[in-house]
Amino acid sequence: MTAAAPALDLKEEILALKQARNAVILAHNYQTGDIQDVADYVGDSLGLAYHAKETSADVIVFCGVHFMAETAKIVNPGKIVVLPDADAGCSLEQSCPAPDLEAFLKANAEKNYYVIAYINCSAGVKALCDVIVTSGNACKIVNKAPADRPILFVPDENLGAWVMEQTGRKMDLWKGNCYVHVEFTRESIRRIKDEYPEALVVAHPECTQAVRLLADEVCSTEKMIGFCRNAPVKDIIVVTESGMLHRLSKECPDKNLIAGPTDRCACADCRYMKMNTLQKLRDCLANLAPRVEMDEAVRSRAEAPLLRMLEQSK
Ligand code: 13P
Ligand code: SF4
């Protein structure tokens, strides 16, 4: 009797399934290191949206949170889009339900708002907006908004406040926030700066103003790569979700990258991003589920502001 073939290692199984399905694996910078390491592309929301739109694969496996996978489906509806855990949500998305935004816009119809949505929102919210932004292009796109209309910015009040500081453009802000980034405090970042007095600080714009003011650079996760690579110092305090450290340590091996702490923890994890695992990634490739599906009327209405963003951010 011949011995059974050894079970394929999970990573090999994923790569074999990926080939069999003609799939592409896209992963956000906050995914666990093992997922980032099997992905075809790892990046921020903007880079991921471009890759999702341009791929010729039959299946997009989106390792990130639900609104990101939904964005992939909106811009490339002919593809099968799956994600490892369909419950991987986002506190920003939850803070702005589409019916609430619709009611607000109706109640304030006389203002004739130009509505700008941070990409961290549902397809239903995107469908109600004029243009979408990510943290990587928000300032550029807000600068292109019609000068004769008031702007409503949803759903992140912190990113919105940062964009106002950068562009000088006044906006009315929806009161949403990222539950991970608001955990960093002035005190927690001051303490780590005292420990590493030579360090530079890079922070995500979803942080509060008190934290942003302590940063040498405020930028999207992708722009953090360039900042850290070119920084003239070795120690860099990275004030964002912990997964970023994996990507950064690969791209900038000569730097001492220090996770920004909160008052409670040495680093900050997004519980939604961390719902995805290598096993669930294997399973979604094998089963082609859970899939992202949506009503075509909502999808096509959400596509217009996303395409406007991709065009305006070139
Ligand atoms: P980036 O687009 O900068 O990667 O940000 C996405 C996100 O969810 C930050 O919390
Ligand atoms: Fe949403 Fe914050 Fe998690 Fe990003 S880190 S996916 S904004 S909850």
Side-chain angles (χ1 to χ4, degrees):
M1 208 173 94
T2 50
L8 278 176
D9 158 85
L10 204 47
K11 188 175 163 185
E12 284 172 21
E13 207 180 333
I14 288 168
L15 295 176
L17 278 165
K18 187 181 80 154
Q19 204 169 13
R21 300 291 194 201
N22 187 26
V24 64
I25 301 177
L26 305 181
H28 187 264
N29 287 319
Y30 296 164
Q31 291 295 282
T32 53
D34 53 1
I35 291 180
Q36 291 191 28
D37 292 347
V38 293
D40 296 293
Y41 175 78
V42 182
D44 67 353
S45 308
L46 183 60
L48 289 163
Y50 275 119
H51 273 75
K53 178 156 173 45
E54 280 152 21
T55 186
S56 56
D58 295 323
V59 176
I60 299 172
V61 181
F62 208 108
C63 299
V65 291
H66 189 268
F67 78 80
M68 295 178 174
E70 205 175 48
T71 299
K73 185 72 180 175
I74 294 168
V75 295
N76 209 338
K79 307 296 180 188
I80 293 173
V81 179
V82 293
L83 72 167
D85 192 319
D87 292 329
C90 169
S91 70
L92 274 168
E93 176 182 356
Q94 289 152 16
S95 68
C96 185
D100 292 11
L101 176 59
E102 195 169 17
F104 180 87
L105 291 173
K106 220 179 211 167
N108 293 279
E110 78 292 350
K111 292 210 167 155
N112 189 25
Y113 273 122
Y114 186 75
V115 186
I116 303 184
Y118 185 30
I119 199 165
N120 294 38
C121 62
S122 65
V125 165
K126 289 184 176 80
L128 294 168
C129 293
D130 293 291
V131 70
I132 308 297
V133 302
T134 74
S135 56
N137 60 19
C139 296
K140 193 175 195 178
I141 289 178
V142 167
N143 274 328
K144 293 182 181 174
D148 58 346
R149 286 179 65 187
I151 297 176
L152 174 68
F153 186 89
V154 303
D156 189 353
E157 58 182 338
N158 290 307
L159 180 86
W162 174 71
V163 172
M164 284 206 281
E165 288 157 25
Q166 300 300 305
T167 61
R169 185 77 199 259
K170 167 143 183 19
M171 305 193 292
D172 289 338
L173 306 178
W174 193 266
K175 293 258 164 266
N177 58 51
C178 161
Y179 91 97
V180 180
H181 287 86
V182 297
E183 285 267 300
F184 300 110
T185 65
R186 188 201 327 243
E187 292 67 37
S188 72
I189 302 307
R190 274 220 178 116
R191 272 196 300 274
I192 195 83
K193 269 169 77 94
D194 288 346
E195 228 179 288
Y196 295 91
E198 305 294 320
L200 291 181
V201 178
V202 60
H204 197 276
E206 289 172 10
C207 294
T208 62
Q209 189 195 37
V211 168
R212 294 196 308 271
L213 285 172
L214 295 174
D216 297 285
E217 177 70 350
V218 176
C219 61
S220 73
T221 59
E222 198 60 31
K223 291 183 182 170
M224 287 182 183
I225 308 285
F227 175 81
C228 291
R229 195 178 281 141
N230 300 326
V233 295
K234 192 168 170 65
D235 295 344
I236 304 169
I237 299 166
V238 182
V239 188
T240 194
E241 208 271 350
S242 65
M244 194 64 216
L245 274 289
H246 180 79
R247 172 89 195 278
L248 278 172
S249 55
K250 280 172 97 171
E251 305 262 2
C252 313
D254 56 326
K255 301 293 186 198
N256 179 31
L257 301 157
I258 304 140
T262 68
D263 285 332
R264 296 183 297 114
C265 296
C267 66
D269 280 340
C270 171
R271 64 170 172 271
Y272 303 112
M273 285 282 179
K274 267 40 186 191
M275 281 179 174
N276 295 331
T277 62
L278 213 52
Q279 181 65 49
K280 290 183 199 171
L281 167 54
R282 179 246 164 242
D283 293 347
C284 81
L285 259 169
N287 305 327
L288 291 184
R291 278 188 205 195
V292 178
E293 311 277 9
M294 80 198 72
D295 179 70
E296 175 52 24
V298 174
R299 189 207 66 77
S300 65
R301 271 188 281 133
E303 186 179 27
L306 267 167
L307 295 184
R308 196 166 293 134
M309 170 189 86
L310 295 178
E311 190 50 42
Q312 289 189 3
S313 108
K314 275 181 194 158

